[in-house]
Amino acid sequence: FYVAALYFVIAVHGNGGTVYIVQGTIFTAVFVAIAWGLENAAQRAIRRALTISDDLRRRYPGLQLRLNRYTVTIDYAVRIVIFFIAGVAVLEAWGFEAMGWIVSATGERVLSSVANIIVVSVLAVVVWEVASSLIERRLSENGEGYVPTTRARTLLPLAQTALKIVLVVLVTMVVLAEVGVNITPLLA
């Protein structure tokens, strides 16, 4: 395919087409190499950042398992951002106006909506994990003689379920509003 494209560009544009193809190819190779290096460095940094100390592991026994649940998701999210930026750079190197679309009104609206959805979703996950961790810690018996009361064992899981429902509804409403669905009837 590359050879056919090179031949076509040379046939149409002459030797100026060769410069265009070589320049685009070099920039593409550079941007892909940079993206690959950034992605590998980001994976190592995420794994290092999401590994907790032994002291925290003793104080919060389930915390490392909770963090491990999100490691893959964070890896994919960072990978998507890195390769999106690299893709825009490659498109720009080949003469497509990718940045022109991004700074246009439509591009800004799409990116703003995506950013709002991501921020609300991350905040909901953080609230859920903190609350869930506190509730589980309160419900567990520790070595210091604490035993949760029957009332706590009944009400805390109920509060945990209620919080989950509230967070799911709020995030769903925000997502629907960001994609353009009129949520006013849902609020009434």
Side-chain angles (χ1 to χ4, degrees):
F1 175 75
Y2 182 77
V3 174
L6 179 62
Y7 177 75
F8 178 75
V9 169
I10 290 173
V12 173
H13 295 289
N15 286 337
T18 306
V19 172
Y20 172 76
I21 290 285
V22 170
Q23 181 181 355
T25 302
I26 290 171
F27 280 135
T28 299
V30 167
F31 293 144
V32 168
I34 289 171
W36 182 74
L38 285 174
E39 191 259 337
N40 284 334
Q43 276 187 342
R44 286 191 302 274
I46 290 167
R47 299 239 188 281
R48 196 175 313 118
L50 294 180
T51 302
I52 60 173
S53 67
D54 290 335
D55 180 45
L56 277 176
R57 205 172 272 146
R58 277 190 300 276
R59 288 182 20 209
Y60 302 101
L63 183 59
Q64 186 64 56
L65 292 173
R66 286 182 183 281
L67 289 174
N68 290 344
R69 285 188 221 159
Y70 299 106
T71 303
V72 173
T73 304
I74 294 170
D75 275 345
Y76 281 129
V78 169
R79 190 176 294 157
I80 287 169
V81 169
I82 289 171
F83 285 113
F84 175 77
I85 293 169
V88 168
V90 166
L91 288 173
E92 286 289 326
W94 285 98
F96 296 99
E97 294 293 325
M99 286 302 295
W101 179 82
I102 289 173
V103 298
S104 71
T106 304
E108 286 180 3
R109 192 181 72 215
V110 168
L111 290 179
S112 173
S113 292
V114 169
N116 287 340
I117 290 170
I118 290 170
V119 166
V120 167
S121 298
V122 167
L123 287 175
V125 167
V126 167
V127 167
W128 168 253
E129 287 298 333
V130 168
S132 184
S133 178
L134 291 173
I135 289 171
E136 286 178 13
R137 187 167 184 221
R138 185 76 176 148
L139 288 175
S140 66
E141 297 179 14
N142 62 16
E144 299 169 4
Y146 173 77
V147 179
T149 64
T150 305
R151 178 179 290 170
R153 285 189 302 226
T154 303
L155 293 179
L156 288 177
L158 186 64
Q160 189 176 24
T161 304
L163 177 64
K164 185 188 302 184
I165 292 169
V166 167
L167 289 174
V168 167
V169 168
L170 286 175
V171 170
T172 302
M173 293 291 211
V174 169
V175 169
L176 289 173
E178 288 297 329
V179 297
V181 175
N182 183 9
I183 61 168
T184 307
L186 298 174
L187 296 174

